[in-house]
Amino acid sequence: MGKVTATAERKIDAPVEKVRELVADYTARPTILTEQYRDYEVVEGGTGAGTVAKWKLQATSKRVRDVAATVSEPTPGTLVETDANSTMVTTWTVREVGEGSLVRIETSWTGAGGIGGFFEKTFAPGGLKRIYDGVLQNLEKAV
């Protein structure tokens, strides 16, 4: 079993505070999510640290992950979503770049062992990056 990581980032021509505000608003999050996210629900909170949200992530036609994420904010502009159902941790980082913002989504988890783990480490990061690219495109449109 090894660590698997998927990353996507995008420069968005909008003020960093505006982008951070939308990223931290979990009640508005469905407006930027792609069709791979289903049954999205805020369980507690709704803005930034302390929020608990759950959803189903349909990564492939056969692979659905039930996510129950608790949000922390270790530093301003960084939100960490820790899944109670797995080892998955997703970090959203929004930082200022010139007049705009750079948004990065990074997800890591402990992958399977054996041949299944090999295929997971080989293909899952690219598939998740494609999903995140869509989310970032929707975020850019929303701000």
Side-chain angles (χ1 to χ4, degrees), residues 6-140:
T7 305
E9 65 180 29
R10 185 181 198 104
K11 184 174 184 311
I12 296 178
D13 292 324
V16 71
E17 289 309 317
K18 184 174 183 176
V19 177
R20 284 180 179 173
E21 184 178 309
L22 183 55
V23 168
D25 185 350
Y26 284 83
T27 60
R29 181 66 63 93
T31 64
I32 66 169
L33 297 178
T34 60
E35 66 275 1
Q36 288 85 7
Y37 292 85
R38 298 184 327 206
D39 304 332
Y40 181 89
E41 178 186 348
V42 174
V43 179
E44 286 179 36
T47 304
T51 297
V52 177
K54 62 181 186 174
W55 61 87
K56 293 184 188 308
L57 179 61
Q58 180 94 37
T60 68
S61 61
K62 296 179 183 178
R63 180 73 173 131
V64 179
R65 183 183 292 260
D66 284 311
V67 178
T70 299
V71 180
S72 61
E73 189 172 1
T75 60
T78 301
L79 295 172
V80 178
E81 301 169 352
T82 304
D83 183 17
N85 297 330
S86 71
T87 59
M88 189 170 75
V89 176
T90 299
T91 302
W92 290 72
T93 307
V94 182
R95 63 183 179 88
E96 193 169 20
V97 177
E99 300 282 320
S101 305
L102 183 67
V103 183
R104 178 183 174 93
I105 308 171
E106 180 176 293
T107 298
S108 295
W109 67 95
T110 302
I115 191 72
F118 169 78
F119 284 107
E120 180 180 21
K121 194 167 190 137
T122 302
F123 297 108
L128 200 49
K129 180 185 183 314
R130 280 188 293 282
I131 293 170
Y132 288 163
D133 284 341
V135 170
L136 292 171
Q137 181 179 14
N138 291 344
L139 175 63
E140 184 173 36

